[in-house]
């Protein structure tokens, strides 16, 4: 898979995950777009790879955030404490 297609896939994945962001989808989308536009002129493949790796890290952090939110909601709903 080429770098361009990987970056596009990363962007789409992050947009999809931003639907459940606590501050709202519009906030997430505007920040995401700003970051991707800021780095759009980068041509060094090594730096692009580091950015893709960081993006994948952000995806994992978002998944963790959503799982924690779900856990806390379920715990609040079903536990007496």
């Amino acid at each position: 898979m080429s770098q361009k297609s990987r970056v596009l896939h990363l962007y789409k994945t992050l947009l999809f995950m931003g639907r459940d962001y606590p501050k709202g989808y519009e906030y997430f989308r505007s920040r995401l777009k700003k970051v991707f536009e800021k780095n759009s002129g980068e041509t060094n493949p090594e730096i692009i790879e580091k950015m893709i790796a960081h993006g994948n890290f952000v995806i994992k952090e978002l998944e963790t955030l959503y799982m924690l939110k779900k856990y806390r909601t379920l715990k609040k709903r079903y536990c007496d404490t």
Side-chain angles (χ1 to χ4, degrees):
M1 201 193 277
S2 70
Q3 279 187 336
K4 183 176 180 177
S5 61
R6 289 175 55 210
V7 170
L8 187 59
H9 183 264
L10 178 67
Y11 184 75
K12 287 181 180 182
T13 304
L14 284 168
L15 268 181
F16 180 77
M17 294 189 75
R19 294 179 307 153
D20 298 325
Y21 195 70
K23 289 189 178 182
Y25 178 71
E26 287 301 318
Y27 173 81
F28 186 86
R29 188 177 65 82
S30 66
R31 299 275 305 238
L32 181 67
K33 185 176 179 181
K34 192 183 305 181
V35 169
F36 271 79
E37 284 179 348
K38 182 182 106 179
N39 295 317
S40 66
E42 187 62 51
T43 57
N44 187 346
E46 294 171 1
I47 295 176
I48 294 172
E49 284 299 322
K50 286 181 183 179
M51 289 180 191
I52 291 172
H54 181 71
N56 289 326
F57 172 76
V58 170
I59 287 173
K60 289 178 185 174
E61 288 293 314
L62 282 172
E63 288 173 347
T64 305
L65 174 73
Y66 296 155
M67 284 190 278
L68 181 62
K69 182 180 174 185
K70 182 178 177 181
Y71 169 76
R72 286 180 177 166
T73 302
L74 289 173
K75 185 176 179 186
K76 194 183 326 178
R77 190 175 295 159
Y78 295 109
C79 292
D80 293 332
T81 59

